[in-house]
Amino acid sequence: MSTTLFFNDKKTFHFSALASYEINGKKKDTDIKTGDLLSIEGGLGKTFYMMNAEKTAPKGILNAGLIYYLQYKVTNDQIPVPVFGTIETDKDRVGGIGAEVNYFHIGCSTSAGFRWIAEVEAINRFQGNTFFLTLAHVFSFKKK
């Protein structure tokens, strides 16, 4: 389930949220069952249009803002251990907050982006920083 809210008529100031629930069953050929997960992610951003010299059309689009995610283990993992029987681990959780900036150059159909997320409040899992650099080009096979 997701939504995007726009705070102005030009739709350049926006907030988005996505919620998902992952139901896990037993792992193949084992008696291990991973717990179910609830994930929430989204961001608050602003879009800027870089206009051409004549100010008649955009030559590029810049989108920048804050991003976040939360992930909670809703049910316990179940792991069979010889002699002890099945144990249930404590539920893990983690959150992350950061920033993202993306630029799309219309003339050459290429986009570049940078994303940084710092994880916070990690329980029963590793915690750290994540960096993403992206570069993408739209290839077209249409004859011009």
Side-chain angles (χ1 to χ4, degrees), residues 49-71:
Y49 294 94
M50 310 306 180
M51 302 304 283
N52 62 11
E54 297 81 27
K55 306 281 188 217
T56 57
K59 65 178 182 178
I61 303 168
L62 178 76
N63 193 35
L66 301 174
I67 55 175
Y68 68 91
Y69 74 88
L70 305 165
Q71 189 173 67

Side-chain angles (χ1 to χ4, degrees), residues 72-77 89-93 123-124:
Y72 296 94
K73 184 80 59 113
V74 178
T75 61
N76 292 332
D77 295 337
T89 62
D90 290 335
K91 297 175 191 167
D92 62 54
R93 69 174 183 257
I123 304 294
N124 289 340

Side-chain angles (χ1 to χ4, degrees), residues 22-117:
E22 180 179 321
I23 299 171
N24 292 302
K26 287 187 177 182
K27 294 190 179 283
K28 184 178 179 181
D29 299 327
T30 73
D31 289 328
I32 297 171
K33 183 184 181 302
T34 304
D36 298 345
L37 293 172
L38 172 65
S39 300
I40 302 168
E41 59 185 289
L44 176 68
K46 176 80 171 128
T47 302
F48 302 91
Y49 294 94
M50 310 306 180
M51 302 304 283
N52 62 11
E54 297 81 27
K55 306 281 188 217
T56 57
K59 65 178 182 178
I61 303 168
L62 178 76
N63 193 35
L66 301 174
I67 55 175
Y68 68 91
Y69 74 88
L70 305 165
Q71 189 173 67
Y72 296 94
K73 184 80 59 113
V74 178
T75 61
N76 292 332
D77 295 337
Q78 297 174 358
I79 304 169
V81 177
V83 180
F84 294 106
T86 299
I87 61 169
E88 292 190 3
T89 62
D90 290 335
K91 297 175 191 167
D92 62 54
R93 69 174 183 257
V94 67
I97 188 162
E100 180 175 18
V101 62
N102 293 291
Y103 179 73
F104 179 71
H105 189 276
I106 295 170
C108 62
S109 298
T110 301
S111 68
F114 175 77
R115 177 187 293 186
W116 162 72
I117 302 170

